[in-house]
Structure formats: C-alpha cells, structure tokens
Amino acid sequence: MMTFLARPASAQAPTIPEERSAVLPGTAGSTLGTLPGSAALMNSDPTATSGAILGGRAGTSTPRVPTSITVPGAGYQPPTAPALSVPAIAPLTEVPLYGTLALPSGADEGPPEGMTFDQALDLLIRQNLDLLARRYELDLARADVLTASLRANPLIYADAQLVPYGAYTQNRPGGQTQYDVNISHPIDYSRKRKYRTEAANQAVKVVEAQYQDAVRLQIANLATAYLGVLSARETVRFAQAGLEGLDRILEASRSLGKFGNRTSADVARITGQREAAAVGLLDAREGLRRARLELGGQLNIAPPEAEGLEIRASLRDLAPPPPPGDQLELMALQCRPDLNAFRMGVGYAQAGLRLQQANRFADAYVLYQPYTFQNNSPLGLKSATSYALGVTVPLPIYNRNQGNIARAKVSIDQTRVQLDSLERKVRIEVRQAEQEYTTTRAYLDQLEQTVLPAAKKALEDTRNLYEAGEQDVTTYLTVQKDYNDVVRQYRDLSVRHRRSMFGLNTAVGSRILP
C-alpha cells in the first residue's frame, strides 16, 4: 500500500497527496519495492461501486450503514512502496596505498581454516539482517492472500418504529408500534472474492521473485566485501615484501658507507624510503581491519570477532573461461529473478484486470426479516407477528468501474513494455560484464608474462649493481619507483579481474565462475 502524507485543504478543489520518499517502519509498505503490474489493482476497493444498503420499503427495515464494514479487506491494496529499498550493489572497498610495494614470493590462499566464499554465502543467507527483514515480505504477502479470500460479513439489525411520544389517542391516532429484527447477507454474484484471491496469489509469486532478486544483489554486496578483505590482505603482503626489500638495501647502504662507497645522504634517502614503506604497511593493516569489519557486518558477525576474521581465497583466476556471450545472455534471460518478477507481474496485472471487471457489480443483499412484532394492545386487539423477505441490487447505470478497468488494461501493456526494457538492459549488462572479464584477463596475462618479469629483472639487476657499489642511489630509487608502479598496477588489475568474475555472476544471475 502506498504511504502518503498530506494535509487536506479546506476548499472544494482536490488536494494532491505528497508521496513519501521511503518506507516507514511499521507501515504496510513493501521493503522489496513496487510490485510489477500492481497499477492494475489501484483503487480496487470492492465496494467502490456500491453505497449504503438501501431499503425496499418505508420505515427503517434496513440499516443505514456503509457496506464497507461488511466486506473483508475492503481497503486491500498490494504493496506498492517506492522502489528504493532494494539493496544496491556496493562499490569496491578501496584500500589506500602508501609506501613501497613488491611482489611477494608464492601465492597465499590464507589459512586452511579460513572462511571460503561458499561458507560466507551460507552465513549470508542465514544471518544477514537485511535479507531477514525482506524475508518477512513473503509472510506479509501470504497474509494478504488470507485477507483477500475472506467472505463478506452479514448484517443483523433490530429496530422499533412508530413509537409514540406519550400515547396514541382518538384525537391523535397512530399506527401500531412495530419491532423488527432483520439479517442482510451479501451475495457476491460477480465472484469478486475469487478474483481478489487470484490476484493476491499472483502477488505472492511476484514477491517471491523480488526476494530472490534481493538475494542476488545482496550476494553481489557480499562478493564486494569478501573481495575487499582479499585485496586488503594482498596489499599487506605486497607492502611487507616491499619493506623487506628496502631493509635489505638499507643494510647494504650502511655497509657500503663504512668503506666510503655511500654517503650519509644516500643512507638517509634509503632510510626515508624505508620509513615511508613502514607507514604504508601500517596503513595496509588498518585497511585490512576495516575490510574485515565490513565483511563481518554483511554476515552479522560481532565486531571483535570480525576483526580477526580470516578467509581462504586467492586473487588468481584458475577457473576455465565462461561460456560465449550469446549463451550467457540466454542464461541470464532464464535465471535473472528480476526478469521473472516482471514476467509474473504481467500475470499480476491480468489478474488485476479480471478483478476490476468483477468490481463492476456490487454485492446484492438478501434481506431476511424473521421477526416483526406489531403491538395492537393499545387498541384492545391481539398483537401480530410476521416475517419479510427482500433483495437489494445496486444498478450499475452510472458507475461500472470503467476508469479502473481502463487503468488495468493500460497496466498490462505498461508491464510488458517494462519487461522488454529490462530484458534489453540485462543483455547489455551481460555483454559488459563478459567484456570486462575478457579484457582484464588479457591485460593480466600480459602483465604476468611480460611487463612484471621485465620490471622485476630491471630492479634485481639495479639492486645488484647498487649493492656492489657500481650504481648510484638516484638510479636505484628511480628503478624502484618504476617497479613499484608496475606492482601496484598488477595488484589493482588482479582485484579488478576478480571483481569482474563476481560481476559476471551477478549479471547472469547464476554462479558461472568461482
């Protein structure tokens, strides 16, 4: 149900409600956003075409009350909150880089008891509070089915009429005092309850698909947080290796200084580089701590425990390449839950049309008055009892729900157009994700095979010459900076490629790559 906040104007002109920008806690708004196809059920009050129950004869034989109190779910609307609370994919957690980086020897997948991505995924499904809150939307939708399936309540009414002020006399005669008890029962001859239940059941299917899409996006957020820990850990390793390399150079510089091959200025410059690398290592460790806290927040792990969280994973891509782009597109069109939500939304809109067509005819009311007592004792006659039967049928002459029916028909076409638009966007997302994966993998292979080995060899040769006293410190620091830039590029590209693997899974809606 859409939530509005408005102040009515004391004038004849209609007031336009101001829509809230978010779902308020405790309201009937859906945390999953607007249901596709729900526009067909706007203004779907089954009593919209009926007014008060009308009597069939003089006197107060029928109650003058609105029919809405007899109709279950008279205000029933599908959840149509603004679609702004579905989780968005979080950006990659960036770790500030300071100091010197160097390529460590060997790959580090983390401790054997570290958390794998599969284990993190299992914890996400069971413990993530955002998903837990959205899971209640399924129960709310099923409760709407119960509301929609309830039958209308009958009315029981009793009255006394022709009661004199004082007493009737020959000079002021009047009819007998009469006491009535009657029951009015609604007859849903247009089967509104059936179509209302059908629409609510279709809404459950849409909500289920929307929840699956919320899980898909939350998994993408988990992948981002998990990759943040992995990239931060690699940054610590690279910074540690860079610091160890500078310690080696600093020791060699001090040894050469004893023999006059290095000046105190040379040693001071290397010492400055070493201290900057030490600061960079401390910053990298702080970045790792923040990344662990971010991952712990996704998995609902307490901060003290999250700070010591270890993962078991590697940035290296050892998986076979994914299927071709055309095949990935077909898989996405079949697997993406947001597409399935709009496909079911078309059925939801069609169910709304059938409900609006049924709402053309308000319920008929059958009146059964089993007891009518007429008091003839003031006339000296025996009192009488009687019964009555009647029926009230509102005539759909002016209001046949024409506007809502037209709206429902437009909603079907609108939902189909939205589905086509989303399919086009999904195809583009898959193509872009596949291209990102292919491009980063090619760049990474080139770095590993040519650029990185060449930079490493240049650094080693220059370092050997420097330690032998055959190269000045300025040349060495220049080569060291070039190597550091290549290592940073390698680290960043490795993270980008690993992120592209997760991004391809998100775009397809299925786990294509590990």
Side-chain angles (χ1 to χ4, degrees):
M1 180 181 297
M2 299 191 72
T3 305
F4 293 100
L5 179 62
R7 176 174 296 179
S10 56
Q12 296 299 317
T15 59
I16 301 177
E18 178 183 352
E19 186 176 346
R20 290 183 182 266
S21 59
V23 179
L24 295 180
T27 64
S30 170
T31 61
L32 293 173
T34 304
L35 271 66
S38 60
L41 280 90
M42 295 300 295
N43 304 322
S44 60
D45 188 342
T47 66
T49 57
S50 62
I53 302 174
L54 301 179
R57 59 184 178 84
T60 55
S61 59
T62 55
R64 299 298 197 260
V65 293
T67 60
S68 59
I69 69 171
T70 71
V71 180
Y76 166 74
Q77 295 286 351
T80 54
L84 47 81
S85 56
V86 174
I89 299 178
L92 173 67
T93 302
E94 295 292 346
V95 180
L97 298 178
Y98 301 98
T100 303
L101 299 182
L103 191 64
S105 59
D108 181 18
E109 293 188 355
E113 68 276 7
M115 180 186 296
T116 65
F117 186 74
D118 288 334
Q119 292 171 335
L121 185 60
D122 181 65
L123 283 177
L124 178 81
I125 300 301
R126 291 189 288 109
Q127 297 184 180
N128 183 269
L129 296 180
D130 291 334
L131 287 182
L132 179 62
R134 290 178 172 87
R135 200 175 302 156
Y136 285 106
E137 294 294 338
L138 302 176
D139 296 330
L140 294 176
R142 296 184 184 109
D144 287 340
V145 175
L146 176 61
T147 299
S149 65
L150 297 177
R151 298 180 182 275
N153 289 321
L155 290 172
I156 184 170
Y157 179 73
D159 68 22
Q161 53 184 309
L162 302 179
V163 179
Y165 288 101
Y168 294 126
T169 64
Q170 290 183 349
N171 295 328
R172 193 167 67 94
Q176 309 98 320
T177 301
Q178 179 175 310
Y179 304 91
D180 301 310
V181 176
N182 63 59
I183 299 173
S184 294
H185 196 288
I187 304 298
D188 182 14
Y189 63 93
S190 64
R191 299 187 294 179
K192 292 183 291 294
R193 172 179 170 271
K194 171 188 173 182
Y195 295 117
R196 191 170 61 240
T197 305
E198 177 186 320
N201 280 316
Q202 193 66 30
V204 171
K205 297 179 181 179
V206 177
V207 172
E208 288 173 347
Q210 285 190 312
Y211 176 73
Q212 292 171 1
D213 192 55
V215 172
R216 177 183 71 93
L217 297 178
Q218 202 67 51
I219 291 175
N221 288 336
L222 172 66
T224 298
Y226 193 85
L227 181 57
V229 175
L230 180 56
S231 62
R233 189 183 69 188
E234 288 298 289
T235 301
V236 171
R237 292 181 64 236
F238 283 26
Q240 182 68 46
L243 182 61
E244 291 172 356
L246 286 174
D247 283 338
R248 173 184 170 185
I249 293 298
L250 181 58
E251 182 180 354
S253 298
R254 288 171 176 169
S255 299
L256 291 173
K258 294 178 182 179
F259 299 99
N261 292 336
R262 288 290 178 264
T263 65
S264 59
D266 294 337
V267 176
R269 291 185 66 181
I270 297 297
T271 301
Q273 289 287 327
R274 193 268 174 199
E275 295 304 318
V279 172
L281 178 59
L282 292 176
D283 186 78
R285 287 173 176 166
E286 175 61 20
L288 177 58
R289 187 188 70 85
R290 293 196 302 268
R292 285 171 172 168
L293 288 173
E294 176 67 24
L295 179 59
Q298 292 281 344
L299 302 179
N300 194 23
I301 297 176
E305 183 181 352
E307 288 182 345
L309 191 62
E310 295 288 350
I311 65 172
R312 183 163 180 79
S314 174
L315 282 177
R316 294 186 62 84
D317 178 12
L318 303 177
D326 293 339
Q327 186 174 346
L328 290 175
E329 285 185 20
L330 292 177
M331 294 176 63
L333 294 178
Q334 295 173 356
C335 298
R336 284 277 292 256
D338 50 348
L339 281 175
N340 292 332
F342 270 89
R343 292 188 184 106
M344 296 174 184
V346 174
Y348 185 30
Q350 292 171 340
L353 174 60
R354 290 189 289 271
L355 175 58
Q356 298 293 7
Q357 290 173 336
N359 283 343
R360 290 178 297 178
F361 308 103
D363 288 352
Y365 281 82
V366 175
L367 169 70
Y368 174 51
Q369 189 169 294
Y371 181 78
T372 299
F373 178 80
Q374 291 176 309
N375 184 14
N376 295 325
S377 57
L379 303 177
L381 303 175
K382 186 177 181 181
S383 299
T385 58
S386 61
Y387 71 93
L389 287 174
V391 62
T392 300
V393 180
L395 297 179
I397 297 177
Y398 306 112
N399 182 358
R400 296 184 299 279
N401 209 28
Q402 300 96 318
N404 287 335
I405 291 174
R407 181 189 181 93
K409 291 178 179 178
V410 172
S411 178
I412 295 174
D413 296 334
Q414 181 187 44
T415 308
R416 285 173 175 162
V417 171
Q418 290 174 325
L419 174 60
D420 293 340
S421 175
L422 184 57
E423 287 181 349
R424 177 177 55 81
K425 292 178 182 178
V426 167
R427 290 178 183 272
I428 294 174
E429 287 180 13
V430 173
R431 287 291 182 180
Q432 290 175 337
E434 191 236 354
Q435 185 62 39
E436 174 72 5
Y437 171 85
T438 304
T439 301
T440 54
R441 182 159 186 167
Y443 290 166
L444 200 57
D445 289 342
Q446 183 178 1
L447 269 178
E448 291 176 342
Q449 295 171 10
T450 60
V451 179
L452 197 57
K456 185 176 181 181
K457 186 176 186 307
L459 179 64
E460 290 175 349
D461 292 345
T462 306
R463 178 187 296 158
N464 293 334
L465 292 173
Y466 177 80
E467 292 176 350
E470 300 177 8
Q471 193 67 267
D472 61 87
V473 67
T474 301
T475 302
Y476 171 76
L477 291 179
T478 300
V479 176
Q480 172 71 46
K481 179 181 181 301
D482 294 339
Y483 174 74
N484 188 53
D485 291 340
V486 172
V487 172
R488 291 192 184 199
Q489 184 181 8
Y490 176 70
R491 178 263 180 194
D492 293 344
L493 190 58
S494 298
V495 173
R496 178 181 168 187
H497 178 66
R498 198 70 178 88
R499 180 174 54 181
S500 73
M501 297 171 66
F502 287 124
L504 187 59
N505 292 340
T506 302
V508 175
S510 179
R511 195 168 181 182
I512 306 299
L513 297 170

